[in-house]
Amino acid sequence: MSGGNEPITPAVAEPVRGESRFMSGSAHAWRALRHRNFRLFFGGQSISLIGTWMTRVATSWLVYRLTGSALLLGTVSFAGQIPTFIIAPFAGVWVDRLDRRQVLVWTQVLSMVQSLALAGLTLSHRITIPWVLGLSVMQGLINAFDMPGRQAFMVQMVEDRKDLSNAIAINSSMVNMARLVGPSLAGMLIAVSSEGWCFLIDGISYIAVIVSLLMMRLHIAAVKRRVTSTFTDLKEGWTYVRGFVPIRTILLLFAVVSLMGMPFVVLMPIFAAQVLHGGPHTLGFLMGAMGVGALISALSLAARKSVRGLVRMIPIAASVFGLGLIGFGLSRVFWLSMVMVLIAGMGMMQGMAGSNTVIQTIVSEDKRGRVMSYYTIAFVGMAPFGSLLAGSLAHAIGAPWTVILNGSAVLLGAAWFWTQLPAVRRVLRPIYQEMGIVPREPAAE
């Protein structure tokens, strides 16, 4: 099945004891938390993600402190993300073949080892750029399996497909709450001590998500052993993505946004230190402001009752993101930079979570891992090239002009998506009708 026109069969939810009580006492916006497995995931990830964002900020500040180089900031980011670009399609094949929970347990254990190694080297004052590069490559290899595995596992934690979009929005809210708290904590901690403590906290925080995964009770069919080759499955996944207009169009825009827009985060230390004349606390505030904007978007998505209308929001969100980036590049005032980063965060998250929700809703279950691996490439895999490009441009023309150019490219991507919207809607409408998302048209007499 290489096309995207086969009917989508909604997952059948089996009632879980206590869910109706939880649902009756919960707001509509948090309805996915009625599923026990997703509640466990939410609890574990809420702790772990704070550590993850602390490490992201600490790593960028560590590299900039050791080198003072915009080019090396981009190079380290490139080293941490290029393995995902190369390996993710193959990882997606294996995610479709293996027990997804086991995949995630192993990725969390290996990520914990990576963070603790980074902590040990930094706290013992033996950290060097080659070590940072090597450990970044290790994390990129882990993420190649973790991201498609995590996305594909979502449907197993939330058994009722009607709650899937809400679960994705809640997950985005959780990520951005951590984006708000983690960088602020990291900025304060770095200012009074060392980046190494951020890495140590991150390493310990993985215990929470590992325990939550092991506590889950999953009611899924046993993984069937595939008789086809990895190459055949890889080709089948590519043909499906290429031939399914909505997924192909969304991923192409997302790739542009990831290549040109998201690498502005890599340049944040330069804006904090050189443009706004601050320190690690300034970096923490900027990252926190981006988190506030992204959190606002995620909460608005959680309040939505249906995936209907989200496709139209994708180019609007990309436009908001692009305008926020241009404003941030032009600003030289701290409070205005905070506002622009907040706006950029809103647009970035609205587009990212909206795209994820639409794809997860319409994708065929047997190809979910492979499709989400291409989503991972668009989201993370393009970023290393963008980081390297952003670092090189910032080295040549300065960080502000680099961000202005990147924002303009995102706006052009949004304009292109608008031209593709009629074709996307034509394919989506019968699928949404099959799933009961939009009413069927009455038969002509």
Side-chain angles (χ1 to χ4, degrees):
M1 293 179 287
S2 59
N5 297 323
E6 63 260 38
I8 308 294
T9 305
V12 178
E14 295 182 10
V16 179
R17 293 179 183 177
E19 285 188 352
S20 59
R21 286 199 308 273
F22 186 89
M23 188 61 178
S24 63
S26 299
H28 173 82
W30 304 98
R31 62 190 183 275
L33 290 175
R34 68 192 180 98
H35 301 276
R36 176 183 179 274
N37 292 331
F38 186 71
R39 291 201 302 274
L40 287 169
F41 177 79
F42 181 85
Q45 281 290 104
S46 296
I47 297 171
S48 179
L49 284 170
I50 292 175
T52 298
W53 278 105
M54 291 179 71
T55 283
R56 290 189 182 185
V57 172
T59 301
S60 63
W61 190 260
L62 174 65
V63 172
Y64 192 65
R65 177 173 65 82
L66 291 175
T67 67
S69 169
L71 184 60
L72 275 174
L73 275 172
T75 302
V76 169
S77 182
F78 179 86
Q81 295 167 326
I82 191 62
T84 304
F85 177 81
I86 297 171
I87 296 173
F90 300 95
V93 171
W94 286 101
V95 165
D96 279 337
R97 295 180 177 211
L98 301 174
D99 184 317
R100 292 168 185 169
R101 174 166 59 176
Q102 290 182 6
V103 170
L104 291 179
V105 169
W106 277 108
T107 59
Q108 300 311 293
V109 169
L110 292 172
S111 293
M112 179 171 63
V113 170
Q114 188 265 359
S115 293
L116 292 177
L118 202 52
L121 288 166
T122 305
L123 292 172
S124 63
H125 305 289
R126 289 184 290 178
I127 193 68
T128 61
I129 292 300
W131 272 115
V132 176
L133 285 168
L135 289 169
S136 295
V137 169
M138 176 182 174
Q139 189 60 56
L141 292 170
I142 296 166
N143 287 342
F145 288 86
D146 182 74
M147 291 194 65
R150 186 187 303 270
Q151 297 294 337
F153 188 57
M154 189 73 68
V155 76
Q156 294 179 356
M157 290 187 290
V158 181
E159 296 164 331
D160 189 343
R161 183 72 69 89
K162 294 178 181 178
D163 292 336
L164 182 58
S165 62
N166 183 248
I168 293 170
I170 291 175
N171 184 61
S172 299
S173 303
M174 175 173 56
V175 170
N176 288 291
M177 183 61 73
R179 189 200 297 264
L180 176 61
V181 175
S184 301
L185 289 177
M188 291 186 290
L189 199 55
I190 294 168
V192 299
S193 58
S194 163
E195 299 91 351
W197 292 105
C198 297
F199 303 141
L200 181 62
I201 291 171
D202 183 29
I204 295 171
S205 72
Y206 281 104
I207 296 173
V209 70
I210 292 170
V211 170
S212 72
L213 287 167
L214 294 175
M215 288 178 64
M216 290 181 185
R217 295 195 296 264
L218 300 173
H219 307 287
I220 56 176
V223 178
K224 296 180 180 179
R225 186 175 297 277
R226 304 287 286 243
V227 296
T228 53
S229 68
T230 299
F231 178 77
T232 299
D233 285 356
L234 187 66
K235 183 180 178 182
E236 183 185 47
W238 169 251
T239 303
Y240 178 80
V241 169
R242 186 184 62 185
F244 198 171
V245 172
I247 291 179
R248 182 185 69 209
T249 308
I250 290 171
L251 290 184
L252 283 173
L253 174 61
F254 211 58
V256 171
V257 171
S258 181
L259 177 69
M260 300 304 297
M262 292 183 185
F264 88 101
V265 178
V266 175
L267 303 178
M268 282 287 205
I270 299 173
F271 279 91
Q274 294 183 7
V275 178
L276 301 175
H277 308 292
H281 61 287
T282 307
L283 177 61
F285 281 124
L286 288 173
M287 296 292 286
M290 185 170 66
V292 170
L295 181 61
I296 292 170
S297 277
L299 291 175
S300 71
L301 286 169
R304 293 180 66 95
K305 294 184 178 181
S306 169
V307 70
R308 188 176 182 179
L310 269 184
V311 172
R312 185 175 63 252
M313 285 300 303
I314 293 172
I316 295 174
S319 300
V320 172
F321 183 32
L323 291 172
L325 290 180
I326 293 171
F328 180 61
L330 292 171
S331 172
R332 299 295 182 273
V333 182
F334 177 66
W335 70 264
L336 183 58
S337 295
M338 291 274 285
V339 172
M340 291 298 104
V341 169
L342 186 145
I343 291 172
M346 289 177 62
M348 180 181 70
M349 178 49 57
Q350 192 83 8
M352 183 174 69
S355 299
N356 191 341
T357 301
V358 173
I359 292 173
Q360 289 271 40
T361 301
I362 64 177
V363 67
S364 296
E365 181 59 34
D366 65 321
K367 300 179 185 69
R368 188 176 297 274
R370 282 166 285 178
V371 170
M372 298 319 294
S373 73
Y374 286 108
Y375 173 87
T376 300
I377 290 175
F379 178 41
V380 176
M382 297 304 295
F385 303 101
S387 297
L388 204 57
L389 177 62
S392 301
L393 282 174
H395 186 73
I397 65 174
W401 276 109
T402 299
V403 171
I404 291 169
L405 288 174
N406 287 356
S408 301
V410 172
L411 284 177
L412 289 175
W416 169 80
F417 193 96
W418 274 111
T419 67
Q420 304 299 308
L421 203 53
V424 171
R425 283 174 166 170
R426 279 196 300 270
V427 177
L428 280 182
R429 184 165 185 81
I431 297 174
Y432 281 0
Q433 288 175 338
E434 183 73 25
M435 300 179 71
I437 294 172
V438 297
R440 293 180 181 272
E441 297 177 353
E445 296 182 1

